[in-house]
Amino acid sequence: MGKFAFMVHPLNVADVSRKFPIAKRLPDRLVEKMIQYMPPVKTSYISGIKSAYAETEGWFVGCPLTTRQMLTLPEDFVLKRIIQTGKLAEKLGAQILGLGAMTSVVGDAGITVAKHLNIAVTTGNSYTVATAIEGTKKAAELMDIDFPNANVVVIGATGSIGSVCARLLAKEVRYLTLVARNKHKLERVASRILQEEGLAVKITQDISRALRDADVIVTVTSAVDTIIEPEHLKPGAVVCDVARPRDVSKKVAEMRDDVLVIEGGVVEVPGEVQFNFNFGYPPKIALACMAETMMLAMEGRYENFTLGRDLTVEQVQEISRLAKKHGFKLAGFRSFERPLTLAEIEKIKYNARRKAGMKLHA
């Protein structure tokens, strides 16, 4: 049976406090200073992942740095800590390691980490892309959006996930806008799409301007703070938030009952999986990046599958094929860390039409 490990880390100090309650009484910066030099930890043992073709088991391994530390501490230090955690995975017997959350973003997106380990490494981003696009299209359909003719926006379009999302979406839509901070990188992605698909896309560094008329939004930045606020979105918009930490402000949930925000990359795992670790999802539900590591272990493909910032369309298609083979599938919709029912989506659609009508007659 193939064995895997998946690397996790606290997104913020609140995550540390759930593990060590005493941290609630201490200043955030002091807590971060204390965990900075803690050794990597075996977080839990994972069992019960099984399809008609194979089964696997593995571990969550924890790198004790918060998202803020991953982004602000010296890169060499952070990479060293990630590699130390990878060595723990090796010691446990894993044959492939998945990099979760910011551990897949730091430095060169896993390439340096893979060079220092004796096991295969993947960021899991290929399956994250596949599920984000599948979920976005399904959500748009439920909101009665004509997807091929919708105004579609990708935020973070120059990143490893964002750029391949944009290239795949360009195959299916007529109106596509790419948003990122770096104009030259945006121009490169737009030029590639023009060459591959013959589609002239818009580019901008202005998020609020891009979102003004957006029907469908895929957002996948590595920003520490939220970047999409209630006033940015038009009634009836669909937002797929793939980022961790999330890009969409919680104020959107509080103030906008007329827009549909879904979490990207949430899947159901085949078998009677026991994660033995609460990472915020119901039983059998995992993130797509975790699932990619699992299915590669089930296939015995101990290879560096998704690394670096240049994901390929072929990788996304291949991992989609493996997912179907082993029974990994898109989980029901979730929004702001809770399940979303079809009745709630119908209510959002009703509210959107009502508000759009009010504007029309104002």
Side-chain angles (χ1 to χ4, degrees), residues 92-286:
L92 289 168
Q95 293 150 295
I96 184 167
L97 171 69
L99 300 177
M102 296 308 296
T103 68
S104 67
V105 175
V106 173
D108 49 15
I111 293 174
T112 298
V113 176
K115 286 178 180 175
H116 287 79
L117 297 179
N118 297 312
I119 58 176
V121 177
T122 188
T123 62
N125 286 342
S126 294
Y127 194 43
T128 296
V129 170
T131 55
I133 291 179
E134 183 184 355
T136 300
K137 289 167 61 178
K138 191 171 181 180
E141 181 183 344
L142 290 172
M143 289 291 285
D144 291 339
I145 292 173
D146 177 13
F147 193 70
N149 292 303
N151 287 318
V152 179
V153 173
V154 179
I155 303 176
T158 58
S160 58
I161 295 178
S163 61
V164 79
C165 272
R167 290 169 59 203
L168 285 162
L169 288 168
K171 295 177 180 295
E172 303 190 44
V173 301
R174 296 174 63 189
Y175 308 106
L176 183 61
T177 301
L178 310 183
V179 185
R181 288 178 297 184
N182 188 305
K183 183 181 176 183
H184 297 299
K185 289 183 178 179
L186 276 172
E187 289 172 342
R188 282 204 295 270
V189 177
S191 176
R192 189 170 185 176
I193 289 173
L194 183 61
Q195 286 182 331
E196 291 176 348
E197 306 299 334
L199 182 69
V201 304
K202 294 180 182 177
I203 61 171
T204 180
Q205 297 163 279
D206 186 337
I207 290 176
S208 59
R209 186 176 179 184
L211 296 186
R212 193 177 303 154
D213 297 314
D215 301 302
V216 177
I217 300 141
V218 177
T219 184
V220 59
T221 77
S222 55
V224 175
D225 300 315
T226 56
I227 57 171
I228 299 179
E229 301 296 335
E231 64 271 20
H232 289 149
L233 301 167
K234 77 172 193 179
V238 168
V239 187
C240 179
D241 192 349
V242 188
R244 296 285 283 179
R246 298 297 180 195
D247 282 342
V248 182
S249 168
K250 287 185 177 178
K251 292 179 185 173
V252 173
E254 298 164 1
M255 299 171 62
R256 296 296 304 269
D257 61 2
D258 59 334
V259 298
L260 174 58
V261 180
I262 62 170
E263 297 173 12
V266 184
V267 299
E268 184 177 324
V269 177
E272 298 302 322
V273 58
Q274 296 292 328
F275 290 116
N276 298 308
F277 174 61
N278 180 9
F279 51 93
Y281 293 104
K284 290 176 65 70
I285 303 300

Side-chain angles (χ1 to χ4, degrees), residues 143 257-259 341-354:
M143 289 291 285
D257 61 2
D258 59 334
V259 298
T341 67
L342 290 176
E344 288 174 309
I345 294 174
E346 281 296 314
K347 182 68 175 176
I348 292 169
K349 188 163 65 177
Y350 170 81
N351 292 335
R353 286 176 175 167
R354 184 172 56 83

Side-chain angles (χ1 to χ4, degrees), residues 24-38:
K24 291 180 182 175
R25 303 176 187 174
L26 304 174
D28 286 1
R29 293 303 171 110
L30 178 58
V31 174
E32 288 187 330
K33 197 69 179 175
M34 291 169 64
I35 67 170
Q36 187 171 326
Y37 297 101
M38 281 177 58

